[in-house]
Every structure is written in structure tokens, then in C-alpha cells.
């Protein structure tokens, strides 16, 4: 089968590889579509995550149809339409049993080999997924069957950015009625945060986004205000909150500067949520007394603090009911052969949720 391989930093190569036979808790999935995520733009420029050997199959989010399951797989069966995600939930480790399944032990274990190249080299899948491929060989823990009338494109949005953004404002720091919310970045995550914040009853949702087209898109959707930079946001929030600042600020950019700005724009005793994916050696510097004397709380948020097997089907149902929407996040379509063009489009902010179809 064809897969997009990362050899190091730089463009991905399309190559014919062979999936390894399934272990007892593995699932083989025919890829219906993969999400070309901005995380892969970073990885293409800076290299993949620690623990990921090179070369490997890229792509950490997708949907597909289950073709085959291992003997001990219980979560899904052949024929299911499933969402495959980068945050596994095994259901039995310490974290899964202590209500923090988004830190499932599987998440920090090195991804197992999933396929073999013609030269015999073994390949891992990025984040245990490897969705830029015609098929995926993944652990049951990464697979979420969803029985829904959602289109493939809509369901795909729940495989990464939308679930992350919704969960940030529903799970990590639930937004409450009447709050003034700041969101840094109007990509698929930031827009999903904005929507969930409105659903939670936020009075104002201020998006900070340098790209004018993305600001317009945000304003046509769920943001009440969209500004170009932190200074504009500071003035606007001062007006909206009698000088207090944001009740909750979400960073969805992936730079220390954006998280620092979000922190400084948050009111005393407010909440700051960092969502973006930075470099592994990035450091965050914050004024100490703003945390202690000013009671500001900083939370990390990976994958929307989600229980994937609870939240992804729930979000799908809420979209069916018209309580949430992801149609506005669906971006341009690319073939698997065009994977590098898809990431170029993401890097240039020319599209939101770019779809890669094998
Ligand atoms: Zn992603
Ligand atoms: Zn677990």
C-alpha cells in the first residue's frame, strides 16, 4: 500500500510499504480520509516528536473503515466507520482510571512498528496513527467507532482540531455564561474553541489573528470580535470588561509569545489555557507574581482534555442535532500524492481543515 514517509526534515516521499500482521489488540483500517494538520507543518520543518524513529509514516488523524481486528479487540468490529486519533485511551492504565485519559500511558510509549519498507526497514506511524497512507495498522486504543449520519468530511474534523478546540472550552476550563473569552489564533482549533465558548454562554469571544481572511471567517462564524494583534485585544478587552481583562484566555498558536500574551491579557484570578504545539525545547517565561499574587491559573490542554470514546461520539451527536457545527472548518481536498501541497496550503494559511484522500 502507498504511504507518505518522512525521512527527516523536509518533504514527504510517497512509497509502497507493507503493513505488518495485526497483534491481538490491533486494528487494520482502510483510510477514508486524513486531516492535514498544522502539527505536520511543524514536524516537516523541525522533525517529529521524540521517540519517533525516522523514517516513519506521517499523519496523526484520520477516519476509515475497519477491515480487520485482532483476537482481543472489543471496541470495534469489521465494517465500523472509525475516527483514528493521536491520543489513545486504553481504559486500563493509571491515567485512564483516574479520569485523565488524555494522558493515557500509551501516549508516551514509543509508537510500535506498523509497516515494513521494501528494503526491510520497519516504520512507525506518526503518533501511533500514520494516516497519510491507504491503510492504517493501529492499536484499538486509538480507534473510536462513531455511529453517525455525519459526512466523512465532518467526521474527519473531529479527528484532531475540532475535538481539541471543543474540549478546551468544554473540559479543560469550561466556559461559563456571561464570560469574556480571548482566543489566540483562528485556525481550526481556535475557531472550535470560539464556538464551544459561545455554546457555553460566553458573552464576548475575542479572536486574535493576524490574517485578515481568517478574521473575517471567524466573525462570520462564532467570534463576536476579531482583532489583528494582542495590543488591539488589550484595548478591546479593557472596554468590554471595565479594564479587568479576559475571564478565560485560550492560546491556539503554538508559540511561547502567544501564550505569554494570552496570560497577560487575562484578568486577576482568571484562567489561561495553552493548546498549541511548540518546539520541544521552547521555554515559557511568565511573571512569577502574576501566578501567585494575582491568582492566575495556567492549564495545559492536549486533545481537548478529551475522553475520546466519550467525547467524539458526543460531539458527532451534537453536530447531528445542530448544537455544534464543523462544516465551516472543512478545507480543501488533496490526493495522497499531493500531501506536500496540502501541507504547503496549511503552512500558508490558505485552508482550514485540509483533507487528504488516498
Ligand atoms: Zn493534529
Ligand atoms: Zn490508558
Amino acid at each position: 500500500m502507498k504511504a507518505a514517509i518522512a525521512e527527516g526534515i523536509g518533504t514527504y516521499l510517497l512509497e509502497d510499504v507493507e503493513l505488518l500482521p495485526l497483534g491481538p489488540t490491533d486494528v487494520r483500517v482502510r483510510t477514508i480520509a486524513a486531516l492535514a494538520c498544522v502539527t505536520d507543518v511543524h514536524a516537516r520543518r523541525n522533525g517529529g516528536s521524540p521517540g519517533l524513529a525516522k523514517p516513519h509514516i506521517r499523519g496523526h488523524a484520520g477516519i476509515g473503515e475497519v477491515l480487520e481486528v485482532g483476537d482481543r479487540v472489543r471496541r470495534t468490529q469489521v465494517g465500523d466507520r472509525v475516527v483514528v486519533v493521536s491520543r489513545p485511551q486504553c481504559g486500563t492504565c493509571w491515567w485512564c482510571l483516574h479520569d485523565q485519559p488524555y494522558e493515557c500511558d500509551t501516549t508516551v510509549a514509543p509508537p510500535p512498528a506498523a509497516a515494513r519498507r521494501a528494503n526491510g526497514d520497519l516504520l512507525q506511524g506518526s503518533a501511533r496513527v500514520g494516516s497519510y497512507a491507504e491503510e492504517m495498522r493501529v492499536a484499538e486504543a486509538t480507534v473510536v467507532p462513531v455511529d453517525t449520519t455525519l459526512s466523512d468530511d465532518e467526521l474527519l474534523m473531529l479527528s484532531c482540531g475540532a475535538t481539541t478546540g471543543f474540549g478546551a472550552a468544554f473540559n479543560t476550563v469550561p466556559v461559563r455564561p456571561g464570560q469574556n473569552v480571548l482566543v489566540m489564533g483562528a485556525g481550526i482549533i481556535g475557531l472550535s474553541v470560539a464556538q464551544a465558548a459561545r455554546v457555553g454562554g460566553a458573552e464576548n469571544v475575542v479572536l486574535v489573528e493576524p490574517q485578515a481572511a481568517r478574521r473575517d471567517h471567524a466573525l462570520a462564524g462564532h467570534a463576536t470580535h476579531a482583532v489583528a494583534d494582542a495590543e488591539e485585544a488589550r484595548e478591546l478587552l479593557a472596554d468590554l470588561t471595565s479594564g479587568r481583562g479576559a475571564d478565560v484566555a485560550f492560546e491556539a498558536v503554538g508559540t511561547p509569545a502567544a501564550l505569554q500574551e494570552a496570560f497577560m491579557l487575562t484578568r486577576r484570578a482568571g484562567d489561561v489555557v495553552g493548546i498549541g504545539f511548540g518546539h520541544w525545547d521552547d521555554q515559557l517565561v511568565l511573571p512569577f507574581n502574576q501566578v501567585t499574587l494575582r491568582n492566575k491559573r495556567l492549564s495545559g490542554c492536549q486533545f481537548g482534555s478529551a475522553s475520546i470514546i466519550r467525547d467524539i461520539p458526543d460531539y458527532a451527536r451534537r453536530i447531528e442535532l445542530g448544537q455544534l457545527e464543523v462544516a465551516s472548518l472543512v478545507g480543501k481536498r488533496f490526493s495522497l500524492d499531493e500531501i506536500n501541497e496540502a501541507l504547503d496550503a496549511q503552512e500558508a494559511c490558505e485552508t482550514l481543515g485540509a483533507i487528504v484522500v488516498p
Side-chain angles (χ1 to χ4, degrees), residues 283-294:
Q283 303 290 316
L284 177 67
V285 178
L286 295 174
F288 183 86
N289 282 349
Q290 290 274 331
V291 177
T292 54
L293 297 186
R294 297 289 177 251

Side-chain angles (χ1 to χ4, degrees), residues 37 39 60 160:
C37 183
T39 302
H60 61 269
C160 192

Side-chain angles (χ1 to χ4, degrees), residues 305-339:
S305 309
S307 162
I308 55 170
I309 53 177
R310 176 196 67 192
D311 291 348
I312 292 177
D314 277 6
Y315 295 155
R317 182 64 183 143
R318 294 177 73 175
I319 294 164
E320 287 176 358
L321 294 171
Q323 297 170 357
L324 292 170
E325 64 87 17
V326 288
S328 66
L329 305 175
V330 172
K332 295 180 181 173
R333 302 179 78 79
F334 298 85
S335 70
L336 183 56
D337 294 319
E338 299 169 317
I339 180 61

Side-chain angles (χ1 to χ4, degrees), residues 27-264:
V27 179
R28 184 163 65 91
V29 178
R30 175 183 68 81
T31 307
I32 295 172
L35 191 64
C37 183
V38 72
T39 302
D40 288 311
V41 173
H42 295 301
R44 195 172 58 160
R45 198 188 306 131
N46 306 313
S49 303
L52 199 56
K54 293 191 174 72
H56 61 274
I57 302 173
R58 290 302 306 180
H60 61 269
I63 62 166
E65 178 195 358
V66 174
L67 297 178
E68 184 185 354
V69 298
D71 295 344
R72 286 173 29 215
V73 169
R74 296 291 174 268
R75 187 179 295 179
T76 187
Q77 53 191 341
V78 171
D80 282 350
R81 188 166 61 145
V82 293
V83 179
V84 185
V85 300
S86 59
R87 301 304 280 195
Q89 183 172 353
C90 75
T92 56
C93 75
W94 190 92
W95 307 94
C96 282
L97 294 175
H98 288 79
D99 213 21
Q100 293 176 322
Y102 42 90
E103 280 297 342
C104 175
D105 261 342
T106 320
T107 303
V108 293
R116 184 183 285 112
R117 299 177 108 171
N119 68 4
D121 287 350
L122 294 177
L123 297 164
Q124 300 164 308
S126 170
R128 292 154 299 278
V129 176
S131 56
Y132 299 156
E134 291 173 319
E135 293 184 7
M136 297 174 265
R137 176 196 182 277
V138 290
E140 174 183 27
T142 69
V143 169
V144 184
V146 187
D147 184 11
T148 174
T149 58
L150 258 57
S151 69
D152 288 339
D153 289 357
E154 288 177 306
L155 189 59
L156 180 65
M157 297 302 119
L158 294 178
S159 66
C160 192
T163 295
T164 298
F166 291 158
F170 288 141
N171 296 328
T172 313
V173 173
V175 171
R176 295 195 298 275
Q179 286 191 316
N180 294 285
V181 172
L182 174 75
V183 183
M184 306 293 290
I188 184 169
I189 293 175
L191 293 171
S192 301
V193 171
Q195 181 181 167
R198 291 298 297 281
V199 169
E203 181 174 352
N204 295 297
V205 176
V206 177
L207 258 158
V208 180
E209 167 59 52
Q211 299 249 348
R214 287 200 161 181
R215 287 200 300 276
D216 292 344
H217 190 265
L219 286 170
H222 308 281
T224 58
H225 303 76
V227 297
D229 58 37
E231 183 52 31
E232 274 188 70
R234 191 187 62 73
E235 289 169 17
L236 176 59
L237 282 165
D239 274 353
L240 295 173
T241 66
S242 306
R244 293 190 304 275
D247 298 303
V248 191
F250 296 89
E251 172 279 324
V253 176
T255 63
L259 189 49
Q260 285 164 337
E261 286 169 345
F263 185 91
M264 296 312 293

